[in-house]
Amino acid sequence: MRFNAKDLASLARRPSGCFDKEGKLKICRVVGDEKLIEPRERWCRLKGNLLFLMKNKSSEASEVVILERCWIVEFRSKTDVSIVLKFQSGEPDLYLEAASKPECESWAVALGEANSEGLQNKIQQLRRLIMEIKEERSSDEARQFLPSSQVDSLGEPQFTSIQRIANEPKLEFSLACKDLVAATRDRKLNTFIQVSVVHPAEHILTRYSSTEIVEGTRDPLFLTGVTFPPEYPIYEETKIKLTVYDVKDKSQDTVRTSVLPDHKEPRADVGRSFLGCTTFRVGDLVKSKEQQLTLTLRTSDGGKTVGTIEVNLVKMGELEDGETDHITTDTQDQKCALVRECTATEGISGKDNLPSLNAVLKNPICKLYRFPTSDNKWMRIREQMAETNLSFHVPKELINLHIKEDMRRNQELKDLGELAPHWDNMRKSVIAHCDQMLSMYQDTLAELGKHTGSSFKSSCSKGEKTLEFIPINLHLQRMHVHSPRLKDALYDVITVGAPAAHFQGFKNGGLRKLLSKFEAERRNTGYQCIYYSPENTAKAKEVLSNINHLQPLISSHADLLLNSASQHSPDSLKNSLKMLSEKTELFVHAFKDQLVRNALLALYTARPGCVLKKPAVPRNSAEEGGDLQHQDHPSQIKRQDSIPHHSEYDEEEWDRVWANVGKSLNCVIAMVDRLLEKDNISNIKEGENDPSAADCKVLHTGGDWYEQLYPLVITLKDCMGEVVTRAKQSMAFVLLQELACGLPQCLMLTLRRDIVFSQALAGLVCGFIIKLHTGLRDQGFLQQLHTVGLLVQYEGLLSTYSEEAGMLEDMAVGISDLQKVMFKVIEAKSEDFLPIITGRREHYIIEVQLPAKMFELLPQEIKEGKLLRMYPVLFNVGINEQQTLAERFGDTTLQENINQENLELLKEYYKLFTEKMPPDCLPHFQEQNDLKGLLENLHQNIQAKKRKNVEIMWLAATICRKLNGVRFTCCKSAKDRTSMSVTLEQCSILRDEHQLHKDFFIRALDCMRREGCRIENVLKNVKCRKYAFNMIQLMAFPKYYRPPEGTYGKADT
């Protein structure tokens, strides 16, 4: 054979990464069974079919062995670590000895695949695969010989869709292997299956999912199935490739926890080795008589059979047919019989809910499991996770409301009129700061308007300023359980990062501490401005809101009254008067507060050159406007000028101005009564004498009605305008004091609170909509919703140490602020089902839109627009290593206080529930005594102050589910600790409510954590399938909150 010695020497000196395998081996030549010399250590490098032998890693190659026309003899002894290369040419055999048995096996595989014969086998197998993929291409290839018109007439390739139920996964199947062949005879296999999809249009292989690892058996039955969501482009022509791997070391199986290009196959030496693969068409599975395929697994060259694989089509409404199966339990070598039988059960109702629910849920991820029950039956579990476009919709709506509210406030401050120099300078400073803050809100809204792409905010983006109003990693986590003897059940948890102002940081703590400190400091600034309590400033905002809401309504009803008078319509006149009276009385009542009178006096003192006049006998404002039916005619009302400047101020003036509205209304009422009475008498008399004369009278009195009512209505509007001007100025002056006392901290705290509330509200709206859809056919729940309200329970996993203590303080205030949110359900008038938000910072109303069919299912009270109350509660238990530091060297009173305060809120909700709801409204398996016992147990656990007492969270979650509440789970980023908690909750529900076999609890938990939706959530956030824990951290975690081996390591969080 000719070869170039120089090129071979150059090849042997290339960097280590250029070789297929390299390492130390002891080598010698063998004739028969005798070694010619003692084995000597050599550095061996394998490249293609060339094996270079070198004295050391840096020396020149002393020998090159061409691996052609040779075969390998591998010794099967457990202790033997050597192999022999035998050559057809008859030259002496080559003896190779490795340092360990695994290293010896690795070299045997590498050398066996190095020759050109093995390469040819691989090429043939790849050619067969390519031909299978391309077999549908013939029509495409024929097009190049057709005229363009004929090509166009053929259109796009048509693929056969899979028939399915709306919103159900397109395809689901389970997997099991039999008679797998190990590389070495005595090895116990630890196998998993990687699922890849060959799309018929693109002819590209895409890695899709994996099963869990089943250890120590050659007949693995996998608990993790494969599911394709509704919008996944899968057809009968789609091909699915199943590849079986043997995992040598789970902790080193890095390929399964990292992202590789779809076309790349993992290297064999990274913790796993290839066993075999097979391919099938989706149509073959769907159309098969038994809905099952048994496929042969072959090696990559297609020549060797290494076992079989069973693919079973899954339908959630049915159980599997078949004989008894055996799968390994958590106990080593223990077997558990699992009977498969087919029974049809009642599906979950609510298929009509899909359009409006799909309007808020996006990009679902589905996982399928089958677990044994305690009576050896199969139950199926579908785990789903979906993000929501409410993550961006709600904050944008909220910021828009903030901008409008702040613009109104700034204009009201400007409309205060002339002020003394001190107050005028203060106003200018406040407006300047407010304008700056308003500009920031507008910039944020503009940036959010530019956002495209994913509808969730990843944990890596929690510190971005432009996204600070967006909740972190907000997802719906749903578990659908189908068990043999129970009805199908849904369990929902909303997972979201703790609502907190991450961009602003936590150097000085969170909102709970900052608000308390700010209020204490504000009390000591009286020499600069007038102190008003938080209750008074909230009242001032409420008065301004009522003014802005009621004034246009009253004007509108007054105009309708005049229109009815001009048309001489008695019925319309009565209805218009009724509406006008109701709204005007509400308007008058809104100013029945001492705060308005005090604020007017304070505002007068702020005018240039004010002089106060004390009245001899104070008047009672309630008496002045109390009896509206016995007031004087408006002609006797003395009209008041605006608040006087440089003159004496009469403190009773406001009472007279305020009462004039009531007097004016009474005059309008009296006039309408007189007109209707005269009209009635006149119509009777004229009708008896001459009907035609009565018609003329109608035309004449129509003009009289309008002319007689017009001046009274104008007087009412003028009186109301005068009250509005004074009240607006006085309340704006109160807000001026609030802002002036704490600039710029006041505005920064408002911003921080807005940010935290925005994140919390987005999650709440998502949770409410999901709960409403799932409970639409539950009359007990709907009655509870409008009679009592909805319980919203948050589970926090934050520590009380360092920055997380600040996050917890933010979260506590944000969740508490949700009490000022009310929901209202309305019928959708279009295909846009996104919720509508109205209101102001102290009071928001969320209008949830439902399609007509769904809206008809609601009770009459909800259909009539009754506002639905929310009862948010938060229970927090830190579980990480930082909580260990807080418990030993820091302070846990924040957590204790939060839990105690929210326990009282939970008891209050339960008390309301028992008072207003009949006992039979609880689900059939829940009793009043259960709830009483759970509440008492929760109380005892909170009082015990036990370290990392996770039972508090379990009890709170159970109480929430029994009270038809909405469940939330939160940690810093809703990624790692949240995943541990959610999966533990799901498995606990399966054990306690659906009879999960006790021996499979840990295995089910590991399945969900290793291959379920939560590891996909980690991938979405940090592009890596690894929970961000290390071994030292996990030592501090409670036992059941630790992930399985190989699923954690260094990753961004």
Side-chain angles (χ1 to χ4, degrees):
M1 178 185 291
R2 294 183 179 182
F3 61 91
N4 190 319
K6 184 178 179 181
D7 288 344
L8 285 176
S10 175
L11 179 61
R13 289 195 299 269
R14 296 182 69 180
S16 296
C18 300
F19 295 92
D20 300 327
K21 188 169 182 61
E22 62 178 325
K24 288 182 180 179
L25 292 173
K26 290 184 177 180
I27 293 178
C28 69
R29 290 287 182 175
V30 179
V31 176
D33 291 331
E34 295 185 6
K35 300 174 183 176
L36 299 181
I37 57 172
E38 281 299 311
R40 295 180 180 179
E41 190 174 86
R42 291 286 184 265
W43 185 262
C44 302
R45 286 180 162 176
L46 178 64
K47 181 65 176 177
N49 62 350
L50 300 177
L51 179 64
F52 297 95
L53 308 181
M54 309 159 69
K55 289 185 177 180
N56 54 60
K57 194 173 182 178
S58 58
S59 66
E60 296 287 334
S62 59
E63 186 178 351
V64 180
V65 179
I66 300 173
L67 302 174
E68 294 295 342
R69 298 183 182 181
C70 62
W71 69 94
I72 297 171
V73 177
E74 184 180 354
F75 299 98
R76 299 297 181 182
S77 168
K78 290 185 179 180
T79 57
D80 204 326
V81 292
S82 62
I83 53 176
V84 173
L85 273 175
K86 291 184 174 288
F87 297 90
Q88 292 181 6
S89 61
E91 62 180 292
D93 301 340
L94 188 65
Y95 172 88
L96 301 96
E97 183 180 319
S100 64
K101 187 66 177 176
E103 186 71 9
C104 179
E105 292 175 356
S106 178
W107 273 105
V109 171
L111 294 171
E113 296 177 350
N115 58 36
S116 57
E117 185 179 350
L119 187 61
Q120 285 296 329
N121 289 335
K122 285 185 180 180
I123 292 170
Q124 290 298 325
Q125 173 67 5
L126 289 172
R127 281 177 176 166
R128 280 196 295 270
L129 274 175
I130 292 169
M131 291 303 295
E132 288 175 8
I133 293 171
K134 286 186 173 181
E135 62 185 4
E136 291 106 1
R137 278 193 178 180
S138 55
S139 61
D140 294 339
E141 293 169 353
R143 295 184 181 202
Q144 59 184 320
F145 304 107
L146 297 174
S148 58
S149 58
Q150 295 184 35
V151 171
D152 294 337
S153 66
L154 291 176
E156 292 298 319
Q158 296 296 314
F159 302 113
T160 310
S161 298
I162 300 172
Q163 293 183 354
R164 62 182 183 87
I165 301 172
N167 210 47
E168 289 289 296
K170 278 190 176 178
L171 178 70
E172 292 180 307
F173 56 85
S174 58
L175 298 166
C177 295
K178 286 186 178 179
D179 305 321
L180 294 179
V181 178
T184 55
R185 190 176 304 167
D186 56 336
R187 173 168 174 74
K188 288 187 176 181
L189 294 173
N190 304 322
T191 51
F192 76 92
I193 299 176
Q194 181 176 283
V195 182
S196 302
V197 179
V198 182
H199 297 282
E202 294 87 0
H203 305 284
I204 296 173
L205 187 71
T206 304
R207 190 166 301 148
Y208 184 75
S209 68
S210 300
T211 66
E212 82 280 13
I213 299 172
V214 179
E215 300 183 49
T217 176
R218 297 182 184 230
D219 301 316
L221 190 150
F222 299 96
L223 302 184
T224 307
V226 182
T227 181
F228 293 88
E231 51 285 329
Y232 194 89
I234 191 168
Y235 309 94
E236 289 188 7
E237 293 81 7
T238 303
K239 292 190 176 180
I240 294 178
K241 180 182 179 183
L242 305 174
T243 309
V244 182
Y245 290 98
D246 175 23
V247 177
K248 299 174 183 177
D249 183 358
K250 285 194 290 186
S251 63
Q252 298 298 318
D253 186 21
T254 56
V255 175
R256 300 178 76 245
T257 56
S258 61
V259 180
L260 288 177
D262 292 330
H263 62 279
K264 290 278 187 180
E265 285 295 332
R267 288 168 47 200
D269 57 348
V270 291
R272 60 167 161 170
S273 60
F274 172 86
L275 285 182
C277 64
T278 188
T279 306
F280 70 92
R281 288 176 74 255
V282 170
D284 295 340
L285 175 62
V286 173
K287 294 178 180 178
S288 63
K289 185 176 180 181
E290 297 180 354
Q291 297 191 330
Q292 175 181 309
L293 296 177
T294 301
L295 308 168
T296 302
L297 285 169
R298 296 186 180 276
T299 55
S300 58
D301 59 8
K304 184 179 178 183
T305 301
V306 291
T308 60
I309 186 166
E310 288 185 0
V311 184
N312 290 280
L313 190 67
V314 170
K315 295 180 181 178
M316 282 295 287
E318 299 177 357
L319 293 180
E320 296 176 49
D321 273 332
E323 302 297 327
T324 302
D325 283 325
H326 299 273
I327 57 177
T328 309
T329 63
D330 293 329
T331 309
Q332 187 121 13
D333 299 327
Q334 183 179 350
K335 302 289 180 181
C336 174
L338 300 169
V339 180
R340 302 189 203 168
E341 59 185 38
C342 183
T343 57
T345 60
E346 181 184 348
I348 293 179
S349 61
K351 304 297 182 186
D352 295 334
N353 304 3
L354 305 179
S356 56
L357 198 56
N358 289 339
V360 298
L361 295 179
K362 302 293 179 186
N363 300 328
I365 294 174
C366 301
K367 298 290 180 176
L368 184 70
Y369 312 97
R370 51 178 174 176
F371 297 140
T373 61
S374 55
D375 56 353
N376 295 333
K377 300 287 173 70
W378 282 114
M379 65 172 161
R380 291 206 183 105
I381 298 92
R382 181 187 295 148
E383 186 186 26
Q384 294 172 288
M385 182 183 72
E387 62 193 53
T388 169
N389 53 10
L390 296 175
S391 292
F392 281 81
H393 173 75
V394 171
K396 287 194 287 188
E397 290 283 300
L398 206 54
I399 294 171
N400 197 34
L401 286 178
H402 293 332
I403 290 172
K404 292 178 180 177
E405 182 181 347
D406 291 350
M407 289 176 73
R408 281 197 303 268
R409 179 199 58 201
N410 291 0
Q411 189 59 46
E412 286 159 1
L413 291 175
K414 293 173 184 176
D415 292 343
L416 274 174
E418 189 179 359
L419 297 175
H422 166 71
W423 298 107
D424 193 45
N425 291 334
M426 181 185 292
R427 174 173 58 177
K428 290 177 181 176
S429 176
V430 167
I431 290 176
H433 280 88
C434 289
D435 284 342
Q436 185 178 356
M437 195 61 65
L438 181 62
S439 176
M440 191 279 297
Y441 280 99
Q442 291 169 334
D443 291 345
T444 300
L445 184 61
E447 288 298 321
L448 291 179
K450 298 175 185 176
H451 179 83
T452 56
S454 178
S455 55
F456 91 110
K457 171 183 167 183
S458 72
S459 62
C460 298
S461 304
K462 59 177 168 280
E464 289 187 20
K465 179 171 176 55
T466 56
L467 298 178
E468 58 185 344
F469 285 84
I470 310 301
I472 302 164
N473 196 16
L474 174 60
H475 283 83
L476 165 68
Q477 176 80 18
R478 168 170 286 181
M479 181 173 70
H480 175 188
V481 184
H482 174 77
S483 47
R485 296 192 175 131
L486 296 174
K487 286 185 178 181
D488 282 18
L490 285 181
Y491 300 93
D492 291 338
V493 180
I494 307 297
T495 61
V496 63
H502 290 275
F503 178 77
Q504 295 191 23
F506 309 96
K507 184 178 180 181
N508 298 313
L511 276 172
R512 192 176 168 107
K513 181 188 291 183
L514 292 171
L515 288 171
S516 176
K517 183 181 177 183
F518 172 72
E519 189 58 33
E521 291 175 350
R522 205 160 70 91
R523 292 175 183 272
N524 301 322
T525 57
Y527 64 92
Q528 294 177 343
C529 55
I530 303 168
Y531 173 78
Y532 288 97
S533 68
E535 293 76 18
N536 280 335
T537 54
K539 179 67 177 176
K541 292 174 184 176
E542 183 181 351
V543 169
L544 285 170
S545 177
N546 287 334
I547 291 172
N548 294 326
H549 175 66
L550 291 173
Q551 185 185 14
L553 286 179
I554 293 171
S555 296
S556 174
H557 288 308
D559 293 337
L560 287 174
L561 182 73
L562 290 175
N563 187 48
S564 299
S566 66
Q567 295 176 2
H568 195 270
S569 172
D571 291 337
S572 177
L573 195 68
K574 289 177 184 178
N575 291 334
S576 299
L577 181 63
K578 181 183 176 183
M579 296 301 297
L580 178 65
S581 300
E582 289 176 358
K583 299 302 179 185
T584 306
E585 286 175 12
L586 286 174
F587 179 83
V588 172
H589 182 75
F591 305 110
K592 205 173 185 178
D593 196 287
Q594 187 66 29
L595 175 64
V596 181
R597 185 182 293 103
N598 293 341
L600 278 169
L601 176 59
L603 175 59
Y604 176 70
T605 63
R607 299 294 189 193
C610 70
V611 179
L612 291 181
K613 171 188 174 182
K614 280 283 185 182
V617 181
R619 298 281 300 278
N620 188 330
S621 62
E623 294 176 1
E624 184 71 31
D627 187 3
L628 298 181
Q629 301 299 324
H630 298 86
Q631 301 290 358
D632 298 329
H633 191 276
S635 61
Q636 301 171 359
I637 298 174
K638 183 179 179 182
R639 300 292 304 279
Q640 304 291 331
D641 295 330
S642 59
I643 296 175
H645 294 209
H646 303 284
S647 62
E648 295 183 350
Y649 175 66
D650 185 355
E651 292 187 47
E652 297 178 0
E653 184 183 15
W654 166 249
D655 295 333
R656 293 192 292 270
V657 172
W658 171 62
N660 281 349
V661 178
K663 293 177 182 179
S664 301
L665 176 63
N666 287 332
C667 293
V668 172
I669 293 171
M671 179 59 71
V672 170
D673 289 342
R674 271 201 303 271
L675 291 173
L676 291 174
E677 185 180 355
K678 287 181 180 179
D679 181 67
N680 191 34
I681 294 170
S682 176
N683 285 341
I684 292 172
K685 289 181 179 180
E686 295 294 336
E688 291 175 353
N689 298 328
D690 185 0
S692 62
D695 295 336
C696 297
K697 181 69 177 176
V698 168
L699 295 173
H700 177 67
T701 55
D704 290 345
W705 281 18
Y706 183 84
E707 290 169 4
Q708 293 181 64
L709 277 176
Y710 181 76
L712 301 182
V713 170
I714 293 301
T715 301
L716 174 63
K717 286 185 175 181
D718 289 346
C719 291
M720 185 179 64
E722 194 169 352
V723 170
V724 165
T725 300
R726 293 168 184 262
K728 269 192 172 184
Q729 288 184 341
S730 64
M731 295 300 96
F733 190 70
V734 173
L735 298 185
L736 175 64
Q737 310 309 308
E738 180 199 28
L739 294 167
C741 287
L743 282 178
Q745 188 181 3
C746 175
L747 292 175
M748 293 307 297
L749 278 177
T750 301
L751 171 63
R752 188 183 190 103
R753 199 165 187 170
D754 287 346
I755 290 168
V756 174
F757 179 75
S758 171
Q759 296 177 24
L761 182 63
L764 176 64
V765 174
C766 177
F768 178 86
I769 292 175
I770 299 300
K771 187 67 180 178
L772 181 64
H773 281 74
T774 55
L776 264 179
R777 300 179 188 275
D778 184 347
Q779 294 304 314
F781 164 71
L782 294 175
Q783 183 183 351
Q784 175 187 350
L785 185 60
H786 71 78
T787 306
V788 186
L790 184 65
L791 178 66
V792 185
Q793 186 255 325
Y794 288 80
E795 173 186 306
L797 298 161
L798 295 171
S799 70
T800 55
Y801 186 82
S802 187
E803 284 194 345
E804 288 199 6
M807 295 177 204
L808 182 56
E809 289 178 344
D810 274 359
M811 183 180 178
V813 173
I815 290 171
S816 177
D817 283 347
L818 294 176
Q819 295 178 62
K820 60 193 179 187
V821 177
M822 308 280 274
F823 280 82
K824 182 179 178 181
V825 184
I826 62 174
E827 184 177 349
K829 303 301 182 185
S830 67
E831 295 300 315
D832 182 7
F833 298 110
L834 290 174
I836 302 165
I837 305 176
T838 58
R840 53 186 174 81
R841 282 187 175 88
E842 302 302 322
H843 179 67
Y844 290 102
I845 295 176
I846 315 297
E847 295 182 349
V848 175
Q849 304 186 81
L850 291 183
K853 286 184 180 180
M854 295 170 61
F855 188 75
E856 286 303 313
L857 299 174
L858 297 173
Q860 193 61 33
E861 294 87 346
I862 297 180
K863 287 197 281 190
E864 290 174 355
K866 184 174 181 180
L867 296 179
L868 311 175
R869 288 197 61 187
M870 300 294 109
Y871 291 85
V873 293
L874 165 65
F875 294 94
N876 186 86
V877 177
I879 62 172
N880 65 358
E881 77 287 353
Q882 288 189 326
Q883 186 62 22
T884 304
L885 295 174
E887 289 168 343
R888 295 187 179 180
F889 310 110
D891 186 10
T892 60
T893 54
L894 171 63
Q895 176 175 286
E896 293 163 7
N897 291 340
I898 288 173
N899 289 345
Q900 186 61 49
E901 292 166 10
N902 285 273
L903 175 63
E904 298 305 316
L905 293 174
L906 183 57
K907 287 180 177 178
E908 179 186 334
Y909 179 84
Y910 176 68
K911 182 181 178 183
L912 282 172
F913 180 86
T914 53
E915 288 173 353
K916 295 185 177 182
M917 293 292 292
D920 58 353
C921 279
L922 287 174
H924 63 91
F925 56 88
Q926 301 166 358
E927 298 177 0
Q928 293 280 3
N929 292 334
D930 291 344
L931 280 167
K932 288 180 181 176
L934 288 168
L935 279 167
E936 182 57 33
N937 198 356
L938 178 60
H939 175 78
Q940 291 172 0
N941 275 277
I942 289 174
Q943 294 297 320
K945 298 181 180 180
K946 178 183 173 184
R947 290 180 177 177
K948 294 185 182 175
N949 189 1
V950 292
E951 193 168 350
I952 290 173
M953 298 189 295
W954 300 344
L955 288 167
T958 303
I959 293 168
C960 175
R961 285 195 299 272
K962 287 182 180 292
L963 286 172
N964 292 320
V966 179
R967 281 273 299 110
F968 283 79
T969 299
C970 311
C971 63
K972 183 168 67 174
S973 58
K975 179 171 64 69
D976 304 305
R977 281 169 284 178
T978 294
S979 296
M980 299 301 104
S981 177
V982 165
T983 48
L984 177 59
E985 181 178 352
Q986 290 180 167
C987 288
S988 298
I989 290 171
L990 294 177
R991 178 192 61 197
D992 300 337
E993 306 291 347
H994 297 275
Q995 303 173 357
L996 173 67
H997 197 294
K998 63 180 182 179
D999 293 332
F1000 281 82
F1001 180 80
I1002 297 298
R1003 185 169 167 190
L1005 195 58
D1006 285 355
C1007 267
M1008 288 184 174
R1009 289 173 175 174
R1010 187 183 293 276
E1011 302 298 340
C1013 290
R1014 298 315 301 182
I1015 199 70
E1016 299 295 333
N1017 182 270
V1018 174
L1019 179 66
K1020 283 180 72 172
N1021 279 274
V1022 296
K1023 311 302 180 189
C1024 176
R1025 282 190 177 89
K1026 279 193 177 183
Y1027 300 110
F1029 303 129
N1030 58 48
M1031 187 60 73
I1032 296 175
Q1033 286 177 311
L1034 293 179
M1035 289 171 64
F1037 275 47
K1039 178 182 176 182
Y1040 290 113
Y1041 288 82
R1042 299 170 186 170
E1045 185 182 1
T1047 62
Y1048 57 88
K1050 185 177 180 182
D1052 295 329
T1053 184

